[in-house]
Amino acid sequence: MANFKRSELQHFVDDGEKDYPPVFVGRQDILKHVLTKAARTSARKSGIPGNTTVITGAPGAGKSSVLSELTRFNTDLSKEGPKTLHISSVELEENFSDVLMAIGALGRTKKSQLKAHVLKGAQLGSLALLDIAGLIDINIQDVKTLFQKNEVRNIGALHKAFPVSDWDTAVIVAVDEAQNLPFGRGTPQSNFLRALHEAVTKLPLTLVLAGLGDTQSVIRSMGLTRNQIATSIGCFTPDEQAELTDRWSAHFGITIGDQRAHIDQLMTPTDGWPRHVHCAQQALAEALLVKGVDGQADKIKDWNAVQRRSDQLRNSYYGEQYSDVMDYSPQLTAQVLQEVGTAERAGKPLNTSQLRQKIQNTCDTNPSGNFECPPEHTAGTFITHLMHCGALEKNPETGMLTCPIPSFQNYILRRGELDPTALE
């Protein structure tokens, strides 16, 4: 019998979907792409112009998990390679000087000096700098002194304070929620990102930007245009889903027994969407934690109850994503999703301009108010809002719109009194 890790599984339930997943599957092409760029940067001992990776996806697609997986390599001494600084767009805006300090400290620290508990998910980001000495076996005061002495306020000054000879590998600067960065040039943050993207210094730095479907428009406004092609992530493949079930169960010491078919059936309504998969895993975990079951799936008495709990968690998530803006005009919201879905299934997907015109026409020709555009929104900003909620996504290659989460699309249609089966 496997060694059931009850307390760890309880933590999985309590910590929720925002925590780093205990098992990481898929996304190997993206990881390889980022690490290959970083390896070339390490070999050249300098940045490479256009060496930026953009990762997009709807909420719950697993973008943050990809960045956290890159961070996990920081202390994997069995593998040569770069180190990663995983920060949020908020940190970049509000703690910019600390971000620069973190990059310098991480760059001049050998992987063998990084503390093992970084593996447990602690991020070496600016908010951790007050306790950075607990993560790195270096004297943080020396780093602060160098910063003060050199007045490090931008990437150029960082280069002077920490010359390339101090760096043993490249550092990947990974920015999460990049869609929230301010539009336009001229801010310290946009200048910093453009300097990394254009490799204006000789420091071995690469850039990863992860965000929602409109991230590309934000970073283009900053002037990041060279070789900038986004990679979109979405559902797990069936093979990845099967691998996740096996490894997740093994990680917690769960005995599947003869219940694999029940577990696979539990996962079916998730569409392989990572956030929804977590809902199913949480429902299963709760059933496995029941006294007397103790991690043995064969002892679960009511699989229908587990399915109902999974459905409840997933629908609660839908409710959280269904914003007040969408609820202001549920029929208009549903109509938009139906227009996009119908066009997509007909092989003639809509772009943003086409959908904007359809929204304007719908609002203009329905004076009843049921199809009124939400206050303080234009047709264009309403589309952007739907992207941020995960209802719509723009294909980074074609610019065409899609509904990335079929089950969420069906939920929205039902809220607007439309029949989801009409799109089948």
Side-chain angles (χ1 to χ4, degrees):
M1 182 184 298
N3 181 23
F4 178 48
K5 300 177 182 177
R6 172 179 288 277
S7 61
E8 290 188 23
L9 189 60
Q10 185 66 60
H11 290 323
F12 173 82
V13 172
D14 294 341
D15 293 342
E17 74 279 358
K18 288 294 185 181
D19 195 33
Y20 177 67
V23 175
F24 183 88
V25 302
R27 323 307 192 197
Q28 295 305 309
D29 288 347
I30 297 174
L31 293 177
K32 182 179 179 181
H33 175 76
V34 173
L35 293 173
T36 298
K37 283 189 170 186
R40 291 178 57 230
T41 301
S42 291
R44 289 180 52 163
K45 294 290 184 181
S46 67
I48 300 173
N51 211 3
T52 297
T53 300
V54 182
I55 304 171
T56 62
K63 302 179 294 297
S64 298
S65 296
V66 173
L67 302 191
S68 294
E69 181 68 5
L70 288 170
T71 305
R72 190 184 66 82
F73 290 125
N74 283 357
T75 53
D76 189 348
L77 301 183
S78 67
K79 297 179 180 178
E80 295 183 2
K83 291 159 287 190
T84 300
L85 180 67
H86 178 181
I87 57 176
S88 70
S89 57
V90 173
E91 290 174 298
L92 187 60
E93 285 194 77
E94 297 186 357
N95 302 291
F96 182 55
S97 61
D98 284 349
V99 170
L100 287 173
M101 190 183 298
I103 293 171
L106 190 59
R108 73 198 305 258
T109 306
K110 296 184 182 300
K111 289 183 71 173
S112 59
Q113 293 177 294
L114 291 171
K115 292 289 189 179
H117 73 264
V118 176
L119 276 171
K120 298 180 181 179
Q123 294 177 4
L124 185 62
S126 58
L127 298 182
L129 280 176
L130 294 178
D131 191 34
I132 198 171
L135 299 177
I136 299 180
D137 289 332
I138 62 173
N139 187 344
I140 190 59
Q141 189 57 47
D142 290 345
V143 176
K144 291 182 178 179
T145 299
L146 281 170
F147 264 66
Q148 293 168 355
K149 181 179 178 180
N150 292 273
E151 295 186 358
V152 178
R153 297 177 182 175
N154 53 47
I155 192 69
L158 179 67
H159 183 206
K160 293 179 181 178
F162 297 91
V164 67
S165 57
D166 289 353
W167 300 52
D168 62 334
T169 67
V171 171
I172 300 168
V173 179
V175 183
D176 209 351
E177 303 295 344
Q179 79 280 350
N180 291 328
L181 291 167
F183 265 78
R185 306 188 185 200
T187 66
Q189 293 76 21
S190 64
N191 292 339
F192 166 73
L193 294 177
R194 196 163 64 253
L196 293 187
H197 183 65
E198 298 294 342
V200 298
T201 73
K202 298 301 181 182
L203 290 177
L205 295 167
T206 64
L207 180 62
V208 176
L209 299 169
L212 300 178
D214 60 327
T215 296
Q216 279 187 292
S217 62
V218 174
I219 60 181
R220 283 175 186 149
S221 74
M222 296 180 177
L224 280 70
T225 55
R226 183 197 297 261
N227 297 336
Q228 186 242 105
I229 301 175
T231 299
S232 179
I233 62 174
C235 301
F236 292 128
T237 67
D239 288 344
E240 290 169 346
Q241 181 63 69
E243 178 188 357
L244 179 59
T245 296
D246 290 337
R247 291 180 54 194
W248 184 84
S249 300
H251 177 84
F252 291 111
I254 295 165
T255 303
I256 295 177
D258 296 327
Q259 306 306 313
R260 183 55 185 261
H262 275 128
I263 295 175
D264 290 344
Q265 185 178 8
L266 182 68
M267 297 296 168
T268 298
T270 70
D271 299 318
W273 193 255
R275 184 64 58 82
H276 299 164
V277 169
H278 186 280
C279 293
Q281 288 176 330
Q282 180 176 335
L284 178 58
E286 291 173 358
L288 291 165
L289 287 165
V290 171
K291 187 176 181 180
V293 177
D294 303 322
Q296 300 178 65
D298 281 336
K299 293 187 177 182
I300 295 176
K301 295 180 179 180
D302 189 349
W303 283 94
N304 288 330
V306 180
Q307 184 66 70
R308 288 194 298 272
R309 175 58 174 159
S310 177
D311 293 343
Q312 177 191 28
L313 291 169
R314 193 174 64 254
N315 281 307
S316 293
Y317 174 69
Y318 293 153
E320 293 173 3
Q321 291 300 114
Y322 195 86
S323 68
D324 291 341
V325 172
M326 298 162 73
D327 195 41
Y328 179 85
S329 185
Q331 289 178 296
L332 175 63
T333 304
Q335 180 69 28
V336 170
L337 270 289
Q338 186 178 63
E339 293 275 10
V340 172
T342 300
E344 188 177 10
R345 283 160 176 76
K348 298 178 180 179
L350 302 173
N351 59 32
T352 303
S353 176
Q354 291 169 326
L355 182 59
R356 185 174 64 247
Q357 292 174 9
K358 286 182 176 292
I359 293 174
Q360 291 170 343
N361 290 338
T362 299
C363 294
D364 291 343
T365 56
N366 288 273
S368 65
N370 291 333
F371 293 88
E372 180 185 352
C373 201
E376 301 181 1
H377 277 276
T378 65
T381 62
F382 185 51
I383 293 172
T384 299
H385 180 80
L386 293 178
M387 289 183 185
H388 285 193
C389 293
L392 294 178
E393 186 175 28
K394 184 186 294 184
N395 185 307
E397 296 180 2
T398 66
M400 298 301 177
L401 294 168
T402 184
C403 303
I405 315 172
S407 55
F408 188 37
Q409 179 186 25
N410 292 342
Y411 174 88
I412 292 172
L413 291 173
R414 288 192 294 270
R415 287 282 294 256
E417 302 178 357
L418 293 179
D419 182 8
T421 62
L423 293 178
E424 295 177 356

